[in-house]
Amino acid sequence: MTSPQWLDSWSADDGAARVRTLFAEAFGDDGDPDGVWSAPGRVNLIGEHTDYNAGLALPVALPHRTYVALRSRTDGLVRLASAQAPDERWETSLDEVTPGVTRGWGAYVAGVAWALREAGHEVTGFDAVVDSCVPFGAGLSSSAALECAVAVALDAVHSLGLACDDAGRAELVAACVRAENEIAGAPTGGMDQAASLRCSAGHALLLDCRPGLSALESADRVPFDLAAAGLNLLVVDTRAEHALVDGQYAQRRATCERAAAILGVSSLREIAPEELDVALDKLVALSSDGDGDVLRRRVRHVVAEIARTGEFADLVRGGRVGDVGPLMNASHVSLRDDYEVSARELDLVVDAALGAGALGARMTGGGFGGSAIALVRERDVDGVTAAVQAAFDEAGLAAPGFLLAPPSDPAH
Ligand code: GLA
């Protein structure tokens, strides 16, 4: 059997040293960077495809982070280099950053500066380099980690003071979301950026995505001490291709918006679980495009998933983290059958992990590939890992990557 590939995180010193070296190579002729900043990827415990439905989500920050060394410029030029794209220097003028026009990985970076300017902040150009141990394209928010590392860097070099408290961080989240939606062109819902900027070590972040809430109302940090319960969160990067800029994610979002319009509510959050059956009947009766069944299943997922997320958080608050497994499993089945965003590789991880004794398992993130998670007793980690690896070997699939996810620090 192939031995499992563990995707280790870097120490803060290692990450900083990497980007300082890269900066010296790329832009060192003009001196040192102003500093080094970093932001984590995230893994979502439960609450999937709920953020853009004004629902609940429960992410934790990963120990895997994206590092940025940045030096501000006095002109509007943005020059970028990345260890992940060594042959691709990226350059633009901030004045030219425009929705629908700016392309490439630099859109995630320059888009943040653009969005901060749109929000009225004085932001100039900069030279920056990037390196990351967040697995790329794994559904673990490598793009949010990049945006959020840049956001705290620009906040610091321009003394905006936003990263100092949670309300300011919520403003940085909004800028990163605009960068991703409007400049990078991915219509995502905002959970990833909130996780990267607003999580805290040892906690899960219960996010309430209803519009108009204050920072205090929109996030609750729930102590999530897996080690004390003798548990581990195992993340499996299936290495199955995953892309959010493609049409499927946007289609799911549009379907939810259409269902809400048919039901006469501003978002699916407004449908209480006890009203669900009535709402589903109404949807089927009123939908005119012959897609009543699809609408019904999408809405059923969203409403039930929001309820599961609340229950999950309540169990964790009540010291019953060992009891959340059935909620994770139900979430996976719902994402697979009703929301139809799972993939063969994700189902394989879930089945193999549960078969080897995981307490619960589910796909995480947007789906269509990417990663799955399993809640595993410490003593079962090796057995579950081996079972997943064996299942992939047997199916003739490329080796997955494994990582452990103790809830970690936000962007700083
Ligand atoms: C992606 C998006 C998030 C969220 C999840 C699904 O990660 O970026 O906004 O919608 O998918 O829960």
Side-chain angles (χ1 to χ4, degrees):
M1 188 183 92
T2 326
S3 44
Q5 286 176 22
W6 286 95
L7 308 174
D8 294 328
S9 56
W10 300 337
S11 71
D13 286 348
D14 186 17
R18 285 170 187 254
V19 285
R20 282 189 183 279
T21 306
L22 190 59
F23 194 93
E25 286 163 13
F27 306 119
D29 290 350
D30 303 324
D32 291 335
D34 295 337
V36 170
W37 294 266
S38 69
R42 65 94 189 92
V43 70
N44 191 22
L45 299 171
I46 196 159
E48 223 64 85
H49 290 275
T50 49
D51 56 355
Y52 53 81
N53 287 301
L56 301 174
L58 192 66
V60 299
L62 289 172
H64 300 68
R65 304 176 73 88
T66 292
Y67 292 81
V68 168
L70 181 144
R71 180 180 58 212
S72 65
R73 302 175 57 96
T74 48
D75 58 13
L77 206 60
V78 174
R79 299 192 303 169
L80 306 174
S82 161
Q84 276 68 47
D87 305 322
E88 237 187 286
R89 268 296 177 86
W90 197 93
E91 202 172 306
T92 194
S93 153
L94 261 189
D95 291 336
E96 280 163 25
V97 177
T98 313
V101 174
T102 307
R103 300 249 178 270
W105 71 271
Y108 291 90
V109 175
V112 175
W114 169 85
L116 286 170
R117 278 181 147 191
E118 290 280 299
H121 300 291
E122 298 267 337
V123 172
T124 59
F126 51 90
D127 295 332
V129 301
V130 179
D131 201 352
S132 181
C133 61
V134 181
F136 182 73
L140 299 174
S141 295
S142 54
S143 39
L146 175 57
E147 292 151 7
C148 297
V150 170
V152 289
L154 294 176
D155 178 69
V157 298
H158 294 296
S159 305
L160 305 182
L162 296 172
C164 301
D165 61 29
D166 194 46
R169 283 178 174 252
E171 282 187 49
L172 292 177
V173 170
C176 292
V177 173
R178 284 199 71 184
E180 180 149 329
N181 289 172
E182 297 177 46
I183 303 299
T188 51
M191 168 192 32
D192 309 343
Q193 294 78 7
S196 188
L197 278 157
R198 301 179 68 192
C199 272
S200 79
H203 294 74
L205 184 73
L206 180 62
L207 269 181
D208 187 332
C209 303
R210 281 176 294 176
L213 296 184
S214 67
L216 198 63
E217 291 161 333
S218 65
D220 187 15
R221 286 159 197 83
V222 183
F224 192 62
D225 189 352
L226 288 176
L231 298 172
N232 252 309
L233 188 66
L234 178 69
V235 183
V236 185
D237 169 10
T238 63
R239 303 228 159 98
E241 207 177 315
H242 147 101
L244 289 179
V245 194
D246 79 1
Q248 289 286 340
Y249 183 94
Q251 208 185 65
R252 293 299 181 284
R253 191 170 176 161
T255 301
C256 290
E257 281 160 12
R258 206 160 77 75
I262 293 173
L263 292 168
V265 291
S266 64
S267 77
L268 297 182
R269 175 68 182 276
E270 285 175 40
I271 302 166
E274 54 278 10
E275 298 160 3
L276 180 59
D277 287 340
V278 174
L280 296 181
D281 289 345
K282 187 172 163 194
L283 205 50
V284 174
L286 294 182
S287 75
S288 48
D289 288 357
D291 60 351
D293 182 55
V294 170
L295 288 173
R296 196 174 61 82
R297 287 186 290 121
R298 303 295 189 253
V299 172
R300 186 164 63 187
H301 165 73
V302 171
V303 174
E305 183 78 354
I306 293 170
R308 279 190 288 270
T309 307
E311 285 172 46
F312 191 121
D314 286 344
L315 284 174
V316 173
R317 283 196 195 102
R320 293 176 55 198
V321 64
D323 293 337
V324 300
L327 292 169
M328 295 173 75
N329 302 341
S331 168
H332 185 74
V333 169
S334 174
L335 287 157
R336 185 191 66 198
D337 298 344
D338 274 353
Y339 218 65
E340 295 182 285
V341 292
S342 189
R344 172 185 174 222
E345 293 84 349
L346 293 167
D347 297 342
L348 198 64
V349 174
V350 168
D351 292 344
L354 292 176
L359 301 181
R362 57 181 292 275
M363 57 156 278
T364 187
F368 311 108
S371 295
I373 53 174
L375 187 67
V376 181
R377 286 185 206 89
E378 235 143 53
R379 60 168 189 274
D380 292 334
V381 169
D382 288 344
V384 170
T385 306
V388 171
Q389 179 68 54
F392 272 62
D393 281 350
E394 206 169 299
L397 293 166
F402 296 92
L403 45 128
L404 293 175
S408 299
D409 284 324
H412 55 62

